Amino acid sequence: MSTHPAAPSPTPGPHLSQPVSFVRRGSRLQGRRRQAWAELDGFVVEVPRNTMADTSVDPGYRFDASAEFGREAPLVVEVGSGLGEAITHAAELQPDTNFLALEVYKPGLAQTLLRIEQKQLTNVRVAQANAAEALATMLPAGSVSELWVFFPDPWHKTRHRKRRLVKDDFAEVAARVLADGGLWRLATDWSDYAVQMRDVLAGSAHFTNVHDGERTGADSPLTQVWESGVELVVGGAPVREGKDPVSTGNTGVNEGIDTRGGWAPRFDGRILTSFENKAHEAGRMIFDLTYRKI
């Protein structure tokens, strides 16, 4: 299943000077996850590295989906696949589609491997890689039918906004890998980031909003969040009995009524994950967006 690419070249990658959109967390594997990583390595894409970082991608490496999966089929890529709940659920429902999970957190990928084994899937591969680098060079241009970015780290503090994933430069590499007519699906549980996503994609010449002008006014989740003030109350975590609520104190500009809309209905292909459940428990709204590559 996995191929063995040539040794990495010493050429610096295009994103080494850019702030990464993720926090480095422990990569130690224990118990069943460690066993899965050792025994299910055929589902792990061997990404050659450009630096000592285990998430870097050598810019000379190209992912060959037809060789990796042993067939020609549409390719769906999930950026930040977490514990693999969404991608393995979708893969089970769509056996004729290939799926690639990009994640920097090794224990999350190991958990995804366990789900692959449990569901007896053959159409999922996982890769430990910085998505910005993977989309810039690793994935061939026009090779992806759908790109998923669900609940990326919101980076609330103003000084950290530069670390958000969905920015103008990421929209460029997303457009590079998507085939014409391909879909970019996004979701977040924070209104400020949802507005940023909508602004970034609206400013891109490569995409059109599939639901342009829909869900405005009172039907807009943005209007509902502004009216409720829920993000100021519950902040980043569910309110626990006996404890004060935690607020981010930063929900962006409250315009009262969202007249732009453009919010997609909830994507049926996205299972309700444990992460999204936490957002619902905290009382936050979910913002879905869907764009088509033109």
Side-chain angles (χ1 to χ4, degrees), residues 202-274:
S204 172
H206 304 297
F207 294 97
T208 182
N209 191 331
V210 175
H211 300 279
D212 188 36
E214 297 181 19
R215 300 180 70 191
T216 62
D219 292 331
S220 166
L222 192 55
T223 300
Q224 294 165 23
V225 164
W226 285 339
E227 288 182 347
S228 69
V230 62
E231 290 179 0
L232 292 172
V233 176
V234 301
V239 179
R240 302 300 186 189
E241 185 176 355
K243 293 188 177 182
D244 292 332
V246 178
S247 172
T248 63
N250 189 352
T251 59
V253 178
N254 185 335
E255 299 176 4
I257 300 294
D258 172 29
T259 58
R260 287 177 57 188
W263 310 109
R266 190 182 195 285
F267 174 42
D268 289 340
R270 189 178 78 244
I271 192 175
L272 188 63
T273 64
S274 55

Side-chain angles (χ1 to χ4, degrees), residues 37-115:
W37 194 264
E39 295 180 355
L40 301 174
D41 60 323
F43 294 94
V44 180
V45 178
E46 298 177 11
V47 179
R49 308 302 178 185
N50 188 51
T51 69
M52 293 297 292
D54 58 8
T55 60
S56 69
V57 178
D58 185 270
Y61 168 63
R62 298 294 178 269
F63 176 73
D64 186 343
S66 60
E68 187 69 40
F69 291 95
R71 66 177 185 176
E72 296 288 341
L75 177 64
V76 174
V77 175
E78 182 177 15
V79 170
S81 53
L83 300 177
E85 294 166 278
I87 199 164
T88 56
H89 173 76
E92 188 175 23
L93 297 179
Q94 301 177 61
D96 294 331
T97 298
N98 295 333
F99 292 84
L100 175 64
L102 297 178
E103 174 61 62
V104 297
Y105 186 48
K106 190 173 182 178
L109 292 174
Q111 186 65 41
T112 303
L113 292 175
L114 288 172
R115 297 182 191 279

Side-chain angles (χ1 to χ4, degrees), residues 104-139:
V104 297
Y105 186 48
K106 190 173 182 178
L109 292 174
Q111 186 65 41
T112 303
L113 292 175
L114 288 172
R115 297 182 191 279
I116 290 172
E117 181 182 43
Q118 180 186 28
K119 297 175 180 289
Q120 298 184 323
L121 301 174
T122 61
N123 59 332
V124 183
R125 299 293 182 272
V126 307
Q128 188 177 18
N130 177 5
E133 294 183 61
L135 270 60
T137 59
M138 170 179 148
L139 295 172

